[in-house]
Amino acid sequence: MNYWALLLIIVILIAMYFMLGSFLWGAGYQPTPPSVLRRMMRMARIGPRDRVYDLGAGTGGLLLRSLDEGADSVVGIEIEPIRFLILRWRRSRHPRGDRLELRRSDLFRTDLHDATVVLVFLWPGAMRRLDEKFREELPPGARVVSYWHPLPGWTTREEDRKVRVYAYDVPSAFASAPSSPGS
């Protein structure tokens, strides 16, 4: 077998893992399109006092853009090992990479009490599971911006149905009221 054929097989296997094998870690990989990324940033209203979390950070498009938007600090949560290595490499090359914390962990076990903005591009089942977590952990006034799937039971502050981006503000009522289905 020649060198180029072997290289092609390796590239194909890596691509298959990256796109399909990553389901073993809970989610497939689909990068956020640039137009959606820009819309999410506008709706998140990121400023210099924000601590931004990206749950399921992938290869870091939202993380790096959050830094570019001026966030004080950004936390990327990613469990899949190859994407996590790519995140580490991209952080090392970003001029504000020192403000980017990476955690290779389960997003459902991540403490969000200090988040002011949470960015998500997750499947409906994950969004349902995050409802209670957000209600219990996010401080009043925190902002959640989701791509593709809305947060069930929440009222949007702003939405763009054309590109399927939904923005929410955490109400102060969550801080004192227990979570109830469908609220």
Side-chain angles (χ1 to χ4, degrees), residues 131 134-135 138 144 151-156 168-171 174 183:
D131 171 50
F134 286 169
R135 289 173 186 268
L138 290 178
V144 177
L151 195 50
W154 287 52
T155 302
T156 56
Y168 307 88
D169 291 330
V170 176
F174 285 174
S183 60

Side-chain angles (χ1 to χ4, degrees), residues 12-105:
I12 289 170
L13 290 174
I14 290 171
M16 286 176 57
Y17 169 80
F18 203 76
M19 300 304 285
L20 302 172
S22 58
F23 280 99
L24 298 171
W25 300 99
Y29 174 71
Q30 181 179 350
T32 305
S35 61
V36 172
L37 192 142
R38 287 189 298 273
R39 185 70 177 129
M40 289 181 77
M41 291 296 110
R42 279 194 302 272
M43 291 169 83
R45 303 182 320 226
I46 295 170
R49 295 181 185 214
D50 283 318
R51 182 158 172 87
V52 179
Y53 278 70
D54 183 0
L55 304 182
T59 58
L62 291 169
L63 294 172
L64 300 177
R65 186 62 184 262
S66 295
L67 287 173
D68 294 341
E69 293 289 318
D72 178 59
S73 61
V74 180
V75 180
I77 309 300
E78 179 58 58
I79 197 167
E80 196 277 325
I82 292 177
R83 290 191 295 244
F84 188 78
L85 289 173
I86 292 169
L87 282 170
R88 289 180 59 183
W89 178 79
R90 290 187 78 188
R91 176 182 61 188
S92 73
R93 304 192 50 82
H94 194 278
R96 294 186 71 218
D98 60 321
R99 294 179 180 260
L100 173 54
E101 178 184 344
L102 298 175
R103 298 180 193 167
R104 184 166 179 255
S105 62

